[in-house]
Amino acid sequence: MSHTPKTFRDIEQFEVKTKNLQQEKHLQQLKVLLPSLPPYVFKYFQKNRKRSATTLFNYANDYKLFFNFLADNNWVLETINKDTISPVDIPITILAELPLEEAEEFQGYLDGKYEQRTVNRRISALKSLFNYLTQKSEDPKTKEPYFYRNVFAKIETTKVSSDPVKRADSFEQKIYRGNEDIRFLDFIASDYEKALSPIQLRFFLRDKNRDLAILSLFLGSGLRLSELAFLQLEDINFEENSLGVFRKGQSGKVYVTVNPRAMDELKEYLHTRTENYGCANDEKHVFFTRYKGSYSPLSIRSIQDLVEKYSKAFNVNKRLTPHKLRHTFATKHWTANKDLIGLQTQLGHTSSEITSSYTHVGKDKQHKNLENMDKLED
């Protein structure tokens, strides 16, 4: 069975409609990933150009993980009678003959590393790929699909409960509660540097204003990681204390309100940005890093790493992610305002059912309320 090899020219000419800067960046990152995937997978992406660049980029990452797994799999190596193989060279016959046991092993691998929603999404991406290869593809010679056996159709995923109470319970212990978020920011501002070596201190002082701005924005607005990572100077409105972002389901930019402390931290960072990173004053991207004498936009991965680093230093038993900082903001917003529609708008949720999770956080206060009621009966 033959497959048209994908060339760099094919990849350069691969285009998907993009609506904003974030999707344009994901398209470029997708083009970087495609050469590491087998040719028949590239055909899948050509067939699915109507999907957003962000969705296709996420799928490419899922497939890269899967083919890396196959390249290290003993059954694969024994089947092709080789000691090693590159993921890009995995023959399509491996997918056609992949035993259910090996597919379930990959699912188990995911279960050990990721949350259930992420596992489900990655299995869903593979179901989509295998559905294309077994039903919608066409081999140039046979005019038939590449193969007919879809092993991932046999893989069942674990349904994630939509019960808002259960969803709230799942993350209540993984967020900052009460005034813990304020103490966390104060710790970074005043105490974190006390335990650093001279070299660590030098880099921390360079990045301090930037990192405080990032952490404050997560905790003071509920921004998503991608929204913060792709923030542009033109998106900032200091007069209205708001930031413009592109959100799913929105045709244009929407403005998200930010608390004054976070905007002050952002302003302080912008005052030192050019001096610390060497970028021009009018450089459109907001957050930068500096390496070997040149500056570049701060990546999503770098933002994730700095959140984990600081939260671990603050409390080794509570390592947070940007998403957990967003949960922290949402929980605090609900506790203070009891405004479900306002919170839904602030977070950019398309469904109030998702937002309602936060209305069930705060069981300690519920217990206290009942205790106070009991006291009235004495």
Side-chain angles (χ1 to χ4, degrees), residues 79-128:
T79 301
I80 61 177
N81 196 25
K82 290 184 178 180
D83 294 328
T84 62
I85 188 172
S86 171
V88 72
D89 295 324
I90 298 287
I92 200 168
T93 53
I94 289 296
L95 274 60
E97 301 170 10
L98 188 69
L100 177 59
E101 181 181 352
E102 301 301 330
E104 290 174 336
E105 184 177 336
F106 178 69
Q107 184 182 35
Y109 164 77
L110 295 178
D111 285 337
K113 293 177 67 68
Y114 304 101
E115 293 183 356
Q116 191 59 55
R117 290 180 185 277
T118 303
V119 174
N120 289 352
R121 181 181 63 78
R122 290 189 157 148
I123 295 298
S124 176
L126 285 167
K127 287 177 182 286
S128 178

Side-chain angles (χ1 to χ4, degrees), residues 58-81:
N58 287 333
Y59 274 24
N61 275 313
D62 296 337
Y63 299 153
K64 182 178 180 180
L65 190 68
F66 174 64
F67 283 98
N68 285 342
F69 171 84
L70 291 181
D72 290 331
N73 184 277
N74 289 332
W75 175 84
V76 172
L77 296 175
E78 291 173 2
T79 301
I80 61 177
N81 196 25

Side-chain angles (χ1 to χ4, degrees), residues 51 187 236 278 301 335 344:
R51 293 179 181 268
F187 168 77
I236 303 172
R301 182 61 187 172
T335 302
Q344 180 181 345

Side-chain angles (χ1 to χ4, degrees), residues 43-69:
K43 287 190 174 184
Y44 166 85
F45 284 100
Q46 288 180 312
K47 188 75 172 180
N48 287 273
R49 292 171 185 259
K50 291 185 179 181
R51 293 179 181 268
S52 73
T54 298
T55 297
L56 294 179
F57 172 63
N58 287 333
Y59 274 24
N61 275 313
D62 296 337
Y63 299 153
K64 182 178 180 180
L65 190 68
F66 174 64
F67 283 98
N68 285 342
F69 171 84

Side-chain angles (χ1 to χ4, degrees), residues 176 184 187-188 192-193 196 199-208 210-212 214-215 277 289 298 301-322 325:
Y176 291 142
F184 169 62
F187 168 77
I188 306 303
Y192 175 79
E193 61 194 68
L196 302 180
I199 294 179
Q200 290 173 326
L201 180 62
R202 178 163 61 90
F203 285 108
F204 169 71
L205 293 178
R206 182 196 67 185
D207 297 334
K208 182 176 181 179
R210 181 199 69 185
D211 295 353
L212 272 172
I214 289 172
L215 296 170
Y277 301 100
T289 187
L298 194 64
R301 182 61 187 172
S302 295
I303 296 173
Q304 291 172 321
D305 288 343
L306 74 85
V307 171
E308 180 179 0
K309 176 183 71 174
Y310 288 126
S311 61
K312 177 183 175 183
F314 180 61
N315 183 345
V316 70
N317 295 317
K318 190 178 282 190
R319 302 183 191 184
L320 269 63
T321 63
L325 296 184

